[in-house]
Amino acid sequence: MKTSKTTSLPWNEALRALQQGRSPLVITHRSPDGDAVGSLLAMGLLLKALGRRPTLACQDPVPTRFHYLPHHQEVVSEVPEGSFDLVISLDCSDRERMGQVYDADRLASLPLLNIDHHVTNLNFGTVNLVVPTAASTTQIIYELVQRLSVPLDVPLATCLLTGLVTDTLAFRTANVTPQVMEIALRLIRAGASLYTIVQRGLVEQPLSALRLLAVGLSRMQVEGHLAWSEVRLADREATGYQGDSDAGLVGRLISAEEIRIAAVFKEVKDGRVEISMRAAPGYDVSGVALRLGGGGHPAAAGCTLNGSLEAAKARVLPLLRAALAEQEDGRHSEH
Ligand code: 5GP
Ligand code: MN
């Protein structure tokens, strides 16, 4: 991150905010993934090392797969009474992503430090430390840890490496640079267990997840280089799968060499549909997600829509078809 491109990033403003806030409220995004939980707990440890007593909040519970992470029990889904003087948002590309734990009536007047790596970030903070070249939000927090000379112990290294490993699918994504590998090496040297993080954070799934995956694969639809599928609420009941993820379905769809863009439509509670999108290298789904009120990275993005599965497909699939056609044209004209 120490390239000329990033020298204008507000590192100093971010450090000042961290040092000035006495009672910070730290929030990560709803439906938390490994980078969300890892960055939340790592920021908690960093703030404690600075002598603060942070409150760590997330609308949804920490998934059991991340229960190897130290202090995961400290994450609250209801923000307690008390006065905060700083809000820190982690891995959220917009304010809405913080979910119900961000109560604007109570918090909007406070300084907001927005730390994120999504290219679609709306810069909604007072200080926006947004680094799209970072492979994970924990990579940005690692840099803050260095700049603040906070010692890297095993718990902190484990939280930081969890974000790096899960967001890069164990160093398999196109944004993995030598610098990412160097940071990972330092975290492993500090005592983080790469094996535990890969196994528990990424690989292991209950049998019910395999059953859900089988249902999702059986519903796969393919149209040229586009593939999609859906997961209904009834499928979760039938398979007994408790989590709210797609059990890895969209990752399987994009792994097909013929597929350039893939999407999974997940029916969730309260009449909403969550859409997970993936793009092969050279293609980009972040623009479509942003247009639909969501966000993400070029290769992995998503959004949440109100209404039925059918309505969501009718709205999203034409945009994905158009993005695919446009991006294929762009690629042909390059050659
Ligand atoms: P996933 O498909 O794994 O849930 O998410 C892929 C990427 O898209 C992640 O970076 C995630 O943060 C982002 N994303 C997924 N759903 C939403 C959403 O509803 N809103 C926003 N802003 N980003 C989302
Ligand atoms: Mn992330």
Side-chain angles (χ1 to χ4, degrees), residues 28-38 63 66 91 97 162 166-167:
T28 197
H29 61 79
R30 55 190 162 80
S31 306
D33 56 16
D35 192 29
V37 182
F66 300 118
D91 204 40
R97 200 72 179 130
T162 291
T166 55
D167 263 21

Side-chain angles (χ1 to χ4, degrees), residues 106-249:
R106 190 175 161 194
L107 303 170
S109 60
L110 298 178
L112 174 54
L113 173 55
N114 163 21
I115 302 179
D116 185 35
H117 70 132
H118 292 98
V119 67
T120 58
N121 192 287
L122 298 182
N123 292 315
F124 55 93
T126 332
V127 176
N128 298 294
L129 187 57
V130 177
V131 190
T133 53
S136 66
T137 295
T138 61
Q139 187 181 344
I140 308 170
I141 299 178
Y142 172 84
E143 180 77 28
L144 293 169
V145 165
Q146 295 296 106
R147 290 178 187 234
L148 288 162
S149 304
V150 169
L152 257 188
D153 56 10
V154 177
L156 182 53
T158 302
C159 295
L160 292 172
L161 189 59
T162 291
L164 261 190
V165 164
T166 55
D167 263 21
T168 62
L169 309 175
F171 310 109
R172 291 187 296 146
T173 51
N175 56 359
V176 174
T177 59
Q179 196 200 357
V180 168
M181 300 309 290
E182 273 165 18
I183 294 172
L185 182 59
R186 281 186 223 135
L187 296 172
I188 294 165
R189 284 215 175 98
S193 166
L194 180 61
Y195 178 75
T196 303
I197 294 170
V198 170
Q199 270 313 108
R200 297 209 44 197
L202 213 50
V203 176
E204 282 175 13
Q205 301 211 86
L207 263 179
S208 56
L210 299 188
R211 293 194 191 101
L212 189 78
L213 189 58
V215 172
L217 286 173
S218 73
R219 294 218 184 96
M220 176 176 71
Q221 310 255 356
V222 177
E223 193 188 281
H225 297 308
L226 178 67
W228 70 92
S229 186
E230 64 191 54
V231 175
R232 303 173 193 156
L233 279 174
D235 301 333
R236 290 184 198 276
E237 269 192 39
T239 58
Y241 181 63
Q242 307 279 332
D244 57 8
S245 83
D246 70 353
L249 179 58

